[in-house]
Amino acid sequence: MKTLNLGILAHVDAGKTSLTERLLHDVGVTDQLGRVDAGSTQTDTLALERQRGITIRSAVVSFVLDDVTVNLIDTPGHPDFIAEVERVLGVLDGAVLVISAVEGVQPQTRVLMRTLRRLRIPTLIFINKVDRAGADPERVFRAVAEKLTPAVVAMGSVAVPGTRGAYCTPYGPTDLAFTDRLLDLLTGQDDVLLADWVADTSSLPYPRLRAALATRTSRALVQPVYAGSAITGAGVDALIAGITELLPTVQGDVDAPLSGTVFAIERGPAGEKIALVRLFAGTIRVRDRVRVGAVDAELVTAVRVVAHGADVVASAVEAGHIARLWGLKHARIGDPVGVPPERGGADRHFAPPTLETVVVPTRPADRVALHAALIQLAEQDPLINLRQDDRRHEITVSLYGEVQKEVIQATLADDFGVGVTFRETSTVHVERVCGVGEAVEVIAVAPNPFLATVGLRIAPAPTGAGVTFRLGVELGSMPPAFFTAVEETVRRTLRQGLHGWEVPDCEVTMTHAGYWARQSHSHGTFDKSMSSTAGDFRNLTPLVLMAALARAGTRVHEPVHRFRLEVPGDVLGTLLPALTRLDAVPTDTTGQGASYLVQGEIPAGLVHALERRLPALTRGEGVLETEFDCYRPVRGPAPVRTRWDNNPLDRKEYLLAVARRVGGR
């Protein structure tokens, strides 16, 4: 049977979970319509999700439409949980982007649509809540065409919007205005269609236009727009028809070499690890040994396949499907299963978290339990970027926002019995390499205490390039394990630069390498004091790398958000100085009748301050949208995590201490 892995995405409160419930009800999976406000939805299963009425974790349900198995993935809409959406994107065949007919296009909507288009994921747009007071689907459709993508076509009309009696009528072949719009859109993209139409205007009958629409939609070149209400069910039948007609299905090759992706990690009732896997090719059976990431043979002990609205125990999972697998003890989010697929489940599509906070156990005795609990949470959400400072005895996590902090606190209390508080949220900075720096430590030459020779050169790389490690020495000059130890330690060490911030986007070249071969006494016993080990290279590498980094120099950069602010015209004179005091830089101010649109950039750490002050500055009439833009050099003194001048050790001793800590000594 063909499958379609379908994601439901939206800005928070656009109604995507309600739409998921409506779809499940209308296709016969559920007898009763679940409601978010009643805490009775199928996909929001966490107690915290039902209490708060928001989606926190992605959930998968399944149903059959005609001859297609649809695996429906409901994703969080709140921007604090964008990491959940990121992990899902790599396993989707298509998506439905939900937009409120009242609030319209919102900041998260634009972020999601840009990403869907960049990844070329076929997408249908559903304008929801046409029955709510203030609904204006035509205004929202115009905003979609203006702000999201011009390649859209309305698939129906809405009568009496803004009332409980709102209903939707799909367009058909007799709606000449619709067929004309469809003809203009498709011939504008397809030269063959245009040539046929020019040669003979009757050569493009309605069935051919619909077929062309399906082809262009499946290639993510056109985004059809539907409208309706998830609560009343208006327009949902047309959306269901569009899902089966316009979105592409897959027929996986069950006999091909195994290929899949781990896109989520869960924990079972007994704390066991459960890997959610999208299988692109091949078959996995219970008791099979499969390669997961760098681990060659993980034993699959149980399989549950998503089917008919629930997980069902199965003996195997075949290509095209999503399953929960037990036994993959070393699985991590983003790991390939078998042969790496062309697209993975953990590629970076959105900006990294720009906030962080220190997690403090309410009871000091819970410090070990807190660390263990956070390790499990980091398995489910790697972007929280768990970091432990052994010198200060602090645990830090990265965040997208304050709501995420509240969820972590509640999860630790409810699931692990650990009460925590948080330090004040601070901004995550990065350090960028300014120039080129080199350093070398030679074996048996003081003050090098390790049996290893390591020379490293570090240089800046383009933004977004990541950390690249290269060999400037012969590959056969040392055992491969020693090169691996150096590379792994380089990447680990660059998580903290000269000022304590992560150092991204640089190129590290190993310029010198040397070791002492394995030495034994005459009676054959191994003498570690005369033989190099991988531990020597792990201990020495941070010392050399930090010395090279100090010679290259780094500059601290802060995250910056783009902002879009609509305000009444008479407050502009007081607003602009206030923006300046918040270090915001307006780049464009445009009059819009009696109001103004102000656009610019603002440091991420001051976004919340602007949000708090905005109501008073604009009499409550200001509308603010922000999203991450880039990192820019910090103006003024650079913020630091670790101060060299405050450390009682001299620089060399401090670097040696870092080396011992990284090496596990």
Side-chain angles (χ1 to χ4, degrees), residues 61 295 369 486:
V61 291
V295 180
V486 172

Side-chain angles (χ1 to χ4, degrees), residues 466-488:
V467 176
T468 303
F469 180 79
R470 303 183 186 280
L471 291 181
V473 297
E474 292 185 6
L475 184 60
S477 61
M478 286 198 315
F482 293 171
F483 286 119
T484 299
V486 172
E487 179 176 359
E488 290 176 348

